[in-house]
Amino acid sequence: MISSPLAAALARRNVHYGWVVVSVTFLTMLVTAAAVGAPGVLIVPLEKEFGWTTEQIATAFSIRLLLFGLMGPFAAAFMNYFGVRKVVCVALALIAGGSFLSLGMTQIWQLILLWGVVIGFGTGLTAIVLGATVATRWFTDRRGLVLGMLTASSATGQLAFMPLMASISENYGWRAATMMVCALLAVAAAAVFLLMRDRPSDVGLPAYGEKEVAKTAAVTGGLLSLIILPLATLKEISRSSTFWVLFATFYICGASTNGLIQTHFVALCGDYGLAAVTAASVLAMMGFFDFFGTIGSGWLSDRVDNRWLLFWYYGLRGASLLFLPYSNFSIYGLSLFAMFYGLDWIATVPPTVKLATDRFGREKAGMVFGWVFAGHQLGAASAAYGGGFARTEYASYLPAFFTAGVLCLIAALLALTIRKSSKDDRVGEPAIAH
């Protein structure tokens, strides 16, 4: 029996309540992604107001990216124990609280505490594992489509709000842009509190594509055992060379996207005389192409050898990064860069998830990808700091961009070293038919 009036009303119109949950999750990931991307337009204003160096500011932002990734494997444990709605509400409160308190900061340690630690923990709780959890619990049919949409919302949200934030920051100051982020977070928190439900059974429905309401599995053990589980999984999969190749390539993926482009691109363009709003518009263009690139990558990952997909994605990304310094930072050159670079901004996710699933099995794939994603954010943190160090020490971002381009070419070659999965080398799982 359907226990929610809204779910019952939607059911009479043949609309599953899961789509409401997806919409709320889409909004949440979009807004939290805006908070993740906000530092890209704050570097220059913070330098001007407080006199902090790019290296100092980048230190805080690299901590945020690091925690964003390291929390991923544990976020699933918290969601299983406390419930998705409670965890997401706490996460949004942390992000909004850290952002709001930063309005009165005057010392660099306050930036590190608020934008590094507090917002890092908050965004980590709503990382890509949230989308995976919602898609898995609420959908049997169209699960891949839902996961692709939610993944794209997270990546695109990091870029789509950049022009607006840059414009507000330029005209009214960085505090006004931060207040806008706080307002968006408040809207998302209200939607989560009112509409989010943990599982289909909470509203008396089966998952989309099923006919029977699944019983909610009891949470066994305490919170400590759930926290230990990701560590035990890491110990097991660390014996696999495939895991380390996926970890290394995703480290490079993070270093060449979130850590470098998202954090430093606006400041890089400013060094060449481009206004912050113009540079942020180029980032938004990347987000537009990324949305279609990620969905297209999901479609291709079911049809093409995923190792070769990663080869081409990383190879083309490396080539585009090496091209960027020679674009003369003209609108034409940057538009060309945005198109090629944006198409595979996060297109690496579907083939990486598919390889993890094929190698480690469906049951472990989520946790394995959580640790691979941690590698992504370690790379992002390294590049966020490395870019700031290069600009402070050498008065130029170019060493960081050339390094990222070469690393992408290395990642392309590494992807081809992954062996095709077989029953003998699978970690604790039977073979999966292809």
Side-chain angles (χ1 to χ4, degrees), residues 60-97:
F61 295 160
S62 65
I63 292 172
R64 173 185 55 86
L65 291 170
L66 180 63
L67 290 175
F68 180 72
L70 291 179
M71 284 297 294
F74 301 96
F78 294 138
M79 289 178 188
N80 286 335
Y81 190 81
F82 295 107
V84 174
R85 182 167 66 166
K86 290 180 180 178
V87 171
V88 174
C89 284
V90 169
L92 292 171
L94 282 173
I95 302 168

Side-chain angles (χ1 to χ4, degrees), residues 22-391:
V22 167
S23 299
V24 172
T25 306
F26 188 97
L27 173 64
T28 300
M29 296 180 71
L30 193 72
V31 170
T32 55
V36 172
V41 300
L42 298 182
I43 290 178
V44 174
L46 292 176
E47 287 177 336
K48 291 180 178 178
E49 179 170 340
F50 298 108
W52 299 333
T53 66
T54 308
E55 182 181 359
Q56 288 175 314
I57 297 170
T59 298
F61 295 160
S62 65
I63 292 172
R64 173 185 55 86
L65 291 170
L66 180 63
L67 290 175
F68 180 72
L70 291 179
M71 284 297 294
F74 301 96
F78 294 138
M79 289 178 188
N80 286 335
Y81 190 81
F82 295 107
V84 174
R85 182 167 66 166
K86 290 180 180 178
V87 171
V88 174
C89 284
V90 169
L92 292 171
L94 282 173
I95 302 168
S99 301
F100 183 77
L101 290 174
S102 71
L103 298 175
M105 65 184 176
T106 57
Q107 303 293 325
I108 188 66
W109 69 264
Q110 295 167 338
L111 178 71
I112 293 173
L113 174 64
L114 296 172
W115 277 95
V117 178
V118 176
I119 294 178
F121 271 114
T123 53
L125 290 173
T126 56
I128 201 168
V129 69
L130 171 61
T133 300
V134 168
T136 301
R137 290 184 179 182
W138 284 85
F139 289 82
T140 298
D141 291 346
R142 302 188 183 179
R143 182 183 295 168
L145 173 64
V146 170
L147 183 57
M149 291 168 55
L150 295 178
T151 301
S153 76
S154 179
T156 302
Q158 294 176 24
L159 304 175
F161 287 99
M162 296 286 274
L164 179 59
M165 286 191 289
S167 178
I168 293 175
S169 179
E170 193 172 87
N171 292 295
Y172 304 103
W174 65 270
R175 289 179 178 83
T178 302
M179 284 299 296
M180 184 201 73
V181 172
C182 291
L184 292 173
L185 290 166
V187 172
V192 170
F193 181 78
L194 294 172
L195 299 173
M196 177 68 78
R197 297 295 180 267
D198 291 336
R199 290 179 169 85
S201 57
D202 292 347
V203 292
L205 287 172
Y208 186 92
E210 297 184 6
K211 297 183 179 180
E212 300 294 330
V213 178
K215 294 182 179 180
T216 302
V219 178
T220 58
L223 178 61
L224 180 61
S225 63
L226 288 173
I227 295 175
I228 291 175
L229 179 59
L231 299 175
T233 302
L234 176 62
K235 180 180 178 181
E236 179 182 357
I237 64 179
S238 64
R239 299 192 297 267
S240 167
S241 61
T242 299
F243 167 73
W244 289 112
V245 171
L246 293 177
F247 187 93
T249 54
F250 236 45
Y251 176 96
I252 294 171
C253 181
S256 57
T257 54
N258 303 59
L260 190 63
I261 293 292
Q262 181 182 302
T263 303
H264 295 292
F265 184 78
V266 173
L268 168 71
C269 291
D271 290 345
Y272 287 85
L274 267 73
V277 176
T278 303
S281 297
V282 175
L283 286 175
M285 189 186 303
M286 292 181 199
F288 173 81
F289 285 106
D290 161 72
F291 188 85
F292 295 100
T294 301
I295 295 175
S297 177
W299 183 84
L300 285 172
S301 66
D302 289 327
R303 295 163 172 79
V304 180
D305 188 329
N306 289 271
R307 300 171 304 161
W308 281 102
L309 284 179
L310 291 180
F311 172 82
W312 284 108
Y313 292 159
Y314 284 117
L316 291 173
R317 184 186 299 174
S320 64
L321 286 170
L322 294 174
F323 159 78
L324 179 61
Y326 301 100
S327 67
N328 296 321
F329 290 87
S330 65
I331 296 300
Y332 172 77
L334 289 177
S335 298
L336 193 64
F337 169 77
M339 180 178 67
F340 281 100
Y341 181 88
L343 281 171
D344 72 357
W345 170 271
I346 203 167
T348 52
V349 170
T352 300
V353 172
K354 185 79 183 318
L355 287 168
T357 303
D358 288 348
R359 178 64 177 82
F360 299 99
R362 291 183 177 88
E363 292 301 318
K364 295 179 181 177
M367 195 73 72
V368 172
F369 182 69
W371 283 113
V372 172
F373 183 71
H376 184 281
Q377 295 309 111
L378 282 171
S382 301
Y385 175 78
F389 176 83
R391 189 171 187 240

